[in-house]
Structure formats: C-alpha cells, structure tokens
Amino acid sequence: MHRLIQKVTQSFSESFNKDSEVVFHAPGRVNLIGEHTDYNNGFVLPCAIDRGTYMAIGIRSDNLINVVAVDNNGQNSQWQSVLPIEKDKDQSWANYLRGVNEQFLKRKLEPMGMDVVVTGNIPQGAGLSSSAALCVVFATAINSINRFDFSPTELALLCQAAENEYVGCNCGIMDQLISVAGQENHALLIDCSNLSYKPIEMPNDMQVIIVDSKVSRGLVGSKYNKRRKRCEQAANIMQVNSLRDADLDLLHRHKDKMEVPTFHRARHVITENLRTQEAALALRSNDYGSLSRLMRGSHVSMRDDFEITTSEIDYLVEIIDSVLHDRGGVRMTGGGFGGCVVALAPSALGQLVVDAVNNLYPEKTGLIAEIHMCIASSGAGKIENK
Ligand code: GLA
C-alpha cells in the first residue's frame, strides 16, 4: 500500500474514531512547454506527476463538511454544505475546498456531509499545482460519492471556477485539467480553445527531472494577473478574440499601437504556441535535438519577453543545459517568479544533472535546490482496494 494512503487512513481513524470509507487521489503536474498560453486559448503540454494529494473520507448523515489537514499541523475547518459558504479567515488552504463545495451548490447540486482527512507530497508553493490537486481531489470525491456524473473536463472547469471566483486567483485551465485527465507515461497536448487533448507518449529512456529553485514566489498572484491583462490588451488592439488567433505578422503590424511590454508579452504567447505544437511532435518522434532547441527557446522567451524568470532560475537552466546540450531540454516551468525548472534528460545523464546542480547552484545563489525525479502519471481517481 502506498505510504500516503496508509498515512491518510490512519490519520482519519485517529481524528474521527472510525474507519474511512473511501480514499481519493489527485496528482500535481509539471508543464513541459506552453507557458501562459492556457488563458490565451493556446496550447500546453503538461504531464501529471507521481506526487499527489490524498483524501480519506467518511460519509455523514447531515450536511456538515469537516476537514483535517495533516500537513498543516492537523488544522481543522468545518462548514455546512449550503449557500452561502463563508471564507475561512485563518486557514487559506480550506478556501480551496470551500470554493469547490460552493461551485457544486451553485449548480443546484447538494453534496452530502463528509468527514475528511487530507495529506500529500506535492511541494507547496513550488509551482507544481498543489492547490489545483487539492481542488481536484475534493471535486472528484464529491462527484463520485454523490454520483453527480461530471465529465473530466467539467470537473476541471468547476475547479478552475472555484479558484477564480472563491480564492480570487485568475488562473487558466491547465493545472486542473491535467490533474483530472493525466495519463500514465504520457504528456497531454491540450488545446485550450476547446479543451480537447491528445496523449503524447513519453520516451521510455527519458527522465522527467524537476528542480525546485527554492526561490520564494512572493506576490505571484498580482504579477500573474498583470501579465494576463497585458495579453488581453494586445488581443484587443489586434482585434482578435484571443492571442491564439494572432500571428507574428499581425503583431508586427500593430507594434506601434502597443506599449513595449504589451508587444513583448504577446510575442511570447504567439511564439510559445508554435513551440508547444512542435515540441509535441518532437516528443512523439524522440527528436531530442528539437526538444532541446524548443525548450531553450521557451525559456529565453519567458526570460526576455514575458519577464517571469529570476536570476537563480536562469542559472539553474544554464547549469542543466550545459550538461544536456542537444541531448535533452530544460526550461522554467509553471507560472514563474521562482518555483521549478523542468528537464527532460536521457536516463544516462540523470545523475550528471543532479551532481551539476548540487555542485554549482548553492555556491552562487546561497540556496539548496530540491530535485525530484518524476514519472508521468495518471489523473485523479478513487483508490481501489485501499
Ligand atoms: C499557473 C496557472 C496556469 C497557467 C500557468 C502558466 O500554473 O494556474 O493556469 O497559466 O501558471 O502557464
């Protein structure tokens, strides 16, 4: 039995003096390429990872939701599953769950009361979607227990709405959709204009290495929302619905009407959409030279045009790139301003990457990076035979 399943069921018994009835799981994610494209109706190429959130549940006969968060010192949050659901002022983690509950109620569905214990091993605040996984595991549990019959895409949209409307983060759909719909050993090429997705097999001699820079991601929400505004402005100026419908030619024809940062933000999104589609083809055909070039291009574009990297992150990418050259790719992943770098590396080079990071990164930055060797994993669901 997975260590975390044991941990969450044991904590449940200790917290509620009874056994849990079911356990659900939702994974974190890493985005291989396609950054800040999702809310511009563009393409993303994430995979779910083998780090996740686990939730043990006992069904109640009333409508109380009673949650214990093992990883937040056993903090507890309780509320009635009826509108309106007030925010928890002291425990921000609980608002992701309250927001999900509210979304079901807004759709005129009434989830049953539940006792809940939650734990997990997605590093928090590292840009690996621990908050999306928290929403997704809860929504998956509510959907299954109450037999609400939501499709994977509908569940992802519900979770995104919870973050947008209740928590107040204006995020796109990528994190929630990959956490719901991820597939073992595959990345998903998601077309965010219609939410269709294609599984792309991961080459079996390639390792997904995630390196957490440990740069703290302060004020991320406001910087994220500012970037998003610029993208919307650029689309307005070019009179297209979203940046998905623009190309470089159109952008250059409108350059004079845009502030310089707006032009740069739009150029990132337009070129990133092209790189992402090309990268999916390269991944599928084991073309590591192209992957390397495209991931490097993505990083440079995030650094110079979207301006969301930090000097520490740039240095991490430089260190890993100098090991991989054209045998694998590396770039910052996620919303930016800190967080993680993702590398796709041939298994034979994995240890060299780890050694290079450990030898060089602390000396220049004073930080110790945390390295996660990950496997592309399946999306959220009920744990059978717990
Ligand atoms: C965050 C958001 C996603 C996406 C990425 C950037 O992870 O939650 O929707 O916009 O940033 O690609």
Side-chain angles (χ1 to χ4, degrees):
M1 194 202 288
H2 193 296
R3 192 180 52 82
L4 288 173
I5 302 173
Q6 203 165 8
K7 181 174 168 188
V8 80
T9 49
Q10 224 166 48
S11 303
F12 187 97
S13 310
E14 285 159 19
S15 304
F16 294 110
N17 284 322
K18 61 180 182 185
D19 284 341
S20 56
E21 290 160 59
V22 272
V23 176
F24 290 86
H25 157 260
R29 66 97 187 90
V30 67
N31 189 19
L32 304 180
I33 193 164
E35 223 63 81
H36 288 267
T37 44
D38 61 351
Y39 55 81
N40 290 299
N41 280 346
F43 292 93
V44 292
L45 186 64
C47 65
I49 55 175
D50 51 337
R51 304 287 190 278
T53 302
Y54 291 80
M55 201 170 248
I57 291 179
I59 295 157
R60 298 176 58 98
S61 51
D62 55 16
N63 63 5
L64 186 74
I65 310 270
N66 190 4
V67 189
V68 174
V70 179
D71 305 322
N72 294 64
N73 302 321
Q75 283 175 352
N76 172 238
S77 186
Q78 288 189 355
W79 65 94
Q80 308 285 335
S81 177
V82 278
L83 289 175
I85 297 183
E86 301 295 333
K87 289 223 170 92
D88 189 322
K89 290 186 196 71
D90 305 318
Q91 294 160 155
S92 54
W93 60 268
N95 290 327
Y96 292 92
L97 306 179
R98 289 172 182 237
V100 165
N101 192 169
E102 183 195 64
Q103 285 299 322
F104 281 104
L105 294 167
K106 277 185 168 175
R107 288 163 176 75
K108 308 262 178 292
L109 296 166
E110 291 175 6
M112 295 188 240
M114 302 187 289
D115 293 317
V116 180
V117 170
V118 61
T119 190
N121 62 354
I122 310 174
Q124 287 184 24
L128 300 176
S129 293
S130 57
S131 49
L134 183 58
C135 290
V136 167
V137 72
F138 194 48
T140 304
I142 291 179
N143 186 42
S144 165
I145 289 168
N146 297 280
R147 299 180 198 283
F148 285 154
D149 228 17
F150 276 59
S151 71
T153 305
E154 285 168 337
L155 270 187
L157 284 166
L158 180 145
C159 291
Q160 184 198 17
E163 284 208 43
N164 289 173
E165 293 170 26
Y166 198 85
V167 181
C169 165
N170 222 354
C171 61
I173 189 66
M174 167 170 69
D175 306 346
Q176 296 78 9
L177 190 52
I178 189 66
S179 182
V180 174
Q183 296 184 15
E184 222 171 279
N185 285 322
H186 289 78
L188 294 189
L189 176 65
I190 303 174
D191 179 344
C192 298
S193 71
N194 58 16
L195 302 187
S196 63
Y197 45 86
K198 264 191 222 139
I200 309 282
E201 199 173 350
M202 301 288 284
N204 50 23
D205 60 337
M206 271 288 195
Q207 261 178 334
V208 180
I209 308 177
I210 299 172
V211 185
D212 184 348
S213 66
K214 294 286 173 179
V215 174
S216 103
R217 302 172 69 234
L219 287 175
V220 171
S222 67
K223 289 179 187 162
Y224 183 94
N225 290 345
K226 269 191 192 160
R227 294 296 184 284
R228 193 172 171 153
K229 270 238 157 64
R230 287 271 181 197
C231 293
E232 285 160 8
Q233 273 168 12
N236 276 339
I237 292 170
M238 291 186 281
Q239 296 185 317
V240 288
N241 254 341
S242 69
L243 289 181
R244 166 66 177 276
D245 303 317
D247 58 20
L248 283 179
D249 188 44
L250 186 72
L251 179 66
H252 281 284
R253 278 192 272 127
H254 289 81
K255 187 174 180 182
D256 294 346
K257 301 195 187 89
M258 286 180 194
E259 287 175 349
V260 176
T262 308
F263 173 79
H264 285 166
R265 308 299 183 246
R267 186 166 62 184
H268 164 74
V269 173
I270 292 169
T271 55
E272 185 79 347
N273 274 332
L274 298 172
R275 284 187 290 268
T276 304
Q277 293 171 85
E278 227 189 294
L281 291 176
L283 194 60
R284 188 183 277 159
S285 51
N286 296 2
D287 176 357
Y288 304 147
S290 297
L291 261 184
S292 168
R293 172 179 54 81
L294 293 161
M295 288 175 80
R296 193 177 298 118
S298 170
H299 188 79
V300 169
S301 178
M302 288 190 288
R303 185 190 66 200
D304 299 345
D305 271 352
F306 222 64
E307 297 184 88
I308 53 172
T309 72
T310 70
S311 59
E312 296 90 343
I313 291 265
D314 293 339
Y315 184 50
L316 260 185
V317 167
E318 192 186 313
I319 295 171
I320 299 173
D321 203 14
S322 69
V323 176
L324 296 177
H325 301 291
D326 58 357
R327 296 173 292 183
V330 58
R331 58 185 281 282
M332 188 191 75
T333 183
F337 311 105
C340 293
V341 153
V342 63
L344 283 177
S347 309
L349 296 181
Q351 193 54 46
L352 285 181
V353 169
V354 172
D355 292 345
V357 169
N358 288 338
N359 289 336
L360 299 170
Y361 187 66
E363 199 180 313
K364 185 155 166 182
T365 61
L367 297 166
I368 299 182
E370 203 173 287
I371 303 181
H372 307 271
M373 298 293 193
C374 290
I375 298 174
S377 303
S378 50
K382 185 170 165 179
I383 307 274
E384 302 297 341
N385 308 319
K386 73 176 175 85

